[in-house]
C-alpha cells in the first residue's frame, strides 16, 4: 500500500480556508473516505458469493482455480496500482484518485457481466479493473484525512479504514441474497448502483485548505524543531518519536529535505532509503502477504466443510449464504474498533497499538486453521476484524506523521 505523502499543489476547496482540525468537518471527510472504501471492498468481497454460479456457467467453462485467480489478481494488483494512485493523489487531488476508483469499480462489474465468455476473460475483466479500483481507493482517504486531524489523527484514519468493515456488513449479504434469485451477470450490473454512493462521497474527500499565514507558521514551527548543533555525517540515534522525520546521516545541505521530505528534487530517494520508510514498507508488505491471503478465504474455507475429497468431509456442511454472513461479524467489529484504537493510541502511542494489532492478528490467523464449524469460523474472523482496523488506523497515522509535507 502506498499513501500519498505530500499535499497536492492545487487544493480543491471543499471547506473554508483554515478550517479547524479535529472538527466536525474532519469527521465528514473521514466518513466520506470510508464510504469510498466501503463500496469497493463490498463489491470485491461479494465476488466469492457467486462462486457456485461461475463454476456452473457453461459459457465460462471455468475451474475453481480460475475463479479464485480473479480476486487474487485484484488484490495483488492493488498495491502496485497504488504507487501510481499516490502520485495522482499528490499532484492532482484525492478527489480525482477517488473518482478513478469509482469508474474502475463500475467497469469491473459491468465488463465482467457483459463480456466475460471464458475463464481468461473473467479473470482479466474483473481482476484487472477491480485491482485498479482497489489501488486508487487506498491512497485518497488517509491522505486527505491526515490533513484534517491532529491529536485525533489515529481515530480519523481509523474511521476511514472501517470502510472495509462497513462494506462487508452491507453489500455481501445483499449480494448473497441476490445470488439465490438471479443470474450472476444481472447481479453484477445491479451491484454497480452502490457506486453512486461513493461518487457523491468523493466530492468531499479533499485536502484541508490552508492560508499562507498558516503555512508560514508551520514553517516557523519546523525551523524551531531543528537541532541546533549537528555535525555533518553524524549518525543519529535510531530511537526517535514518531512524527519527527529524522535522517540516519545528517548533512547540512540536505537538512531541509529530511525535515520536509517533499522539499527538493531528491526527496523521493532520500525518503525511500530512510530506516523509517523501509521499516514501514516491510511491515505492510508482511501484513499484506499474511492477512489478504487469509481474508479472501473467509468464504471459500468454510465452504470446504463437509465437502467430499477434502480433509473436512466429515464436518457439518456450511452453506454459501451462511459463509457470506461471516463478513458481517468481520465488518461489525471493524466499525467498533476504530474509536477504541483511536483512544488507545492517544494513551499508549501508535507504535504500541500497532504491535498489539499485528501480534493479535498473527495468533488469530494461526488459530483459524483449527476451525471446523460455523460459529468457530465466525468468532475467529470477527476478532480478526477488530484488530484489522487497529492495524490500519495506527499504520496510516505513522505514515502520515512521518512523511507528510508540502510538494516540491
Amino acid at each position: 500500500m502506498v499513501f500519498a505523502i505530500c499535499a497536492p499543489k492545487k487544493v480543491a476547496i471543499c471547506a473554508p480556508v483554515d478550517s479547524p482540525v479535529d472538527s466536525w468537518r474532519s469527521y465528514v471527510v473521514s466518513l466520506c473516505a470510508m464510504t469510498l472504501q466501503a463500496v469497493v471492498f463490498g463489491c470485491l468481497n461479494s465476488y466469492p458469493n457467486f462462486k457456485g454460479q461461475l463454476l456452473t456457467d457453461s459459457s465460462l467453462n471455468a475451474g475453481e482455480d480460475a475463479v479464485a485467480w480473479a480476486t487474487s489478481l485484484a488484490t495483488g494488483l492493488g498495491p502496485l496500482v497504488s504507487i501510481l494512485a499516490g502520485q495522482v493523489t499528490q499532484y492532482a487531488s484525492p478527489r480525482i484518485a477517488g473518482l478513478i476508483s469509482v469508474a474502475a469499480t463500475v467497469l469491473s462489474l459491468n465488463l465482467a457481466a457483459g463480456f466475460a465468455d471464458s475463464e481468461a476473460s473473467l479473470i482479466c475483466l474483473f481482476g484487472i479493473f477491480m485491482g485498479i479500483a482497489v489501488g486508487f481507493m487506498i491512497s485518497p482517504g488517509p491522505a486527505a484525512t491526515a490533513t484534517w486531524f491532529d491529536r485525533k489523527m489515529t481515530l480519523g484514519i481509523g474511521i476511514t479504514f472501517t470502510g472495509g468493515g462497513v462494506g462487508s456488513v452491507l453489500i455481501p449479504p445483499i449480494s448473497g441474497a441476490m445470488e439465490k434469485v438471479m443470474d450472476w451477470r444481472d447481479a453484477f450490473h445491479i451491484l454497480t448502483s452502490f457506486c453512486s454512493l461513493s461518487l457523491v462521497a468523493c466530492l468531499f474527500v479533499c485536502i484541508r485548505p490552508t492560508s499562507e499565514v498558516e503555512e508560514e507558521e508551520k514553517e516557523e514551527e519546523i525551523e524551531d524543531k531543528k537541532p541546533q548543533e549537528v555535525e555533518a555525517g553524524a549518525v543519529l540515534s535510531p530511537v526517535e518519536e514518531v512524527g519527527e522525520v529524522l535522517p540516519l546521516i545528517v548533512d547540512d545541505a540536505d537538512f531541509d529535505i529530511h525535515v520536509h521530505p517533499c522539499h527538493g528534487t531528491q526527496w523521493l530517494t532520500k525518503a525511500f532509503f530512510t530506516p523509517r520508510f523501509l521499516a514501514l514498507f516491510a511491515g505492510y508488505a508482511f501484513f499484506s502477504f499474511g492477512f489478504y491471503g487469509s481474508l479472501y478465504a473467509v468464504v471459500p474455507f468454510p465452504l470446504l466443510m463437509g465437502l467430499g475429497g477434502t480433509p473436512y468431509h466429515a464436518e457439518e456442511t456450511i452453506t454459501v449464504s451462511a459463509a457470506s454472513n461471516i463478513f458481517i461479524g468481520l465488518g461489525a467489529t471493524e466499525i467498533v474498533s476504530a474509536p477504541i484504537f483511536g483512544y488507545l493510541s492517544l494513551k499508549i502511542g501508535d507504535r504500541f497499538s500497532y504491535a498489539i494489532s499485528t501480534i493479535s492478528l498473527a495468533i488469530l490467523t494461526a488459530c483459524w486453521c483449527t476451525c471446523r464449524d460455523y460459529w468457530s469460523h465466525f468468532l475467529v474472523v470477527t476478532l480478526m476484524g477488530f484488530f484489522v482496523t487497529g492495524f490500519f488506523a495506527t499504520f496510516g497515522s505513522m505514515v502520515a506523521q512521518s512523511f507528510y509535507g508540502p510538494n516540491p
Side-chain angles (χ1 to χ4, degrees), residues 280-318:
L280 290 169
F281 181 84
Y284 191 81
F286 284 117
F287 170 83
S288 298
F289 180 81
F291 174 70
Y292 284 113
S294 302
L295 177 63
Y296 293 101
V298 168
V299 172
F301 183 29
L303 292 179
L304 293 177
M305 302 302 116
L307 184 64
T310 68
Y312 317 105
H313 63 89
E315 308 297 335
E316 183 178 351
T317 302
I318 298 176

Side-chain angles (χ1 to χ4, degrees), residues 114-371:
F115 298 99
D117 55 4
S118 64
E119 64 177 27
S121 60
L122 174 67
I123 293 172
C124 292
L125 292 175
F126 182 85
I128 292 177
F129 284 98
M130 189 59 74
I132 295 173
V134 170
F136 275 90
M137 168 269 296
I138 292 174
S139 292
T145 301
T147 66
W148 284 92
F149 288 89
D150 184 18
R151 290 188 65 253
K152 298 180 180 179
M153 184 183 294
T154 302
L155 174 59
I157 294 179
I159 292 173
T160 296
F161 279 109
T162 58
V166 173
S168 298
V169 167
L170 297 179
I171 300 180
I174 294 175
S175 64
M178 293 165 60
E179 188 268 342
K180 296 179 180 179
V181 297
M182 66 178 67
D183 182 68
W184 70 271
R185 296 180 187 271
D186 295 330
F188 273 29
H189 286 306
I190 294 174
L191 282 175
T192 59
S193 62
F194 286 103
C195 293
S196 60
L197 298 174
S198 55
L199 181 63
V200 174
C202 281
L203 301 179
F204 299 93
V205 179
C206 62
I207 298 294
R208 175 176 168 267
T210 55
S211 64
E212 293 183 2
V213 174
E214 183 175 349
E215 291 296 331
E216 291 175 358
E217 291 176 350
K218 288 182 179 179
E219 293 290 338
E220 292 176 358
E221 182 180 350
I222 290 170
E223 288 291 332
D224 293 338
K225 289 183 178 180
K226 285 186 179 181
Q228 298 300 314
E229 296 182 4
V230 181
E231 295 182 4
V235 179
L236 298 181
S237 169
V239 180
E240 53 191 71
E241 293 186 6
V242 173
E244 297 177 7
V245 183
L246 298 177
L248 183 64
I249 304 296
V250 177
D251 185 274
D252 292 338
D254 293 334
F255 186 83
D256 284 343
I257 296 176
H258 292 296
V259 175
H260 271 302
C262 294
H263 280 330
T265 57
Q266 299 179 346
W267 72 267
L268 192 63
T269 302
K270 290 182 178 295
F272 279 10
F273 285 96
T274 57
R276 176 165 298 170
F277 176 85
L278 295 174
L280 290 169
F281 181 84
Y284 191 81
F286 284 117
F287 170 83
S288 298
F289 180 81
F291 174 70
Y292 284 113
S294 302
L295 177 63
Y296 293 101
V298 168
V299 172
F301 183 29
L303 292 179
L304 293 177
M305 302 302 116
L307 184 64
T310 68
Y312 317 105
H313 63 89
E315 308 297 335
E316 183 178 351
T317 302
I318 298 176
T319 64
V320 174
S321 59
S324 64
N325 287 337
I326 295 176
F327 269 116
I328 295 178
L330 175 73
T333 50
E334 285 187 26
I335 298 170
V336 171
S337 67
I340 294 176
F341 273 95
Y343 176 80
L344 186 63
S345 294
L346 286 175
K347 296 297 182 181
I348 66 174
D350 287 334
R351 286 176 291 181
F352 286 108
S353 298
Y354 171 87
I356 292 172
S357 299
T358 52
I359 292 172
S360 300
L361 279 170
I363 294 172
L364 289 168
T365 304
C367 293
W368 192 19
C369 64
T370 65
C371 296

Side-chain angles (χ1 to χ4, degrees), residues 367-390:
C367 293
W368 192 19
C369 64
T370 65
C371 296
R372 294 294 182 269
D373 57 59
Y374 173 81
W375 287 110
S376 62
H377 281 282
F378 186 88
L379 177 62
V380 170
V381 172
T382 295
L383 291 175
M384 288 171 65
F386 181 84
F387 293 104
V388 164
T389 299

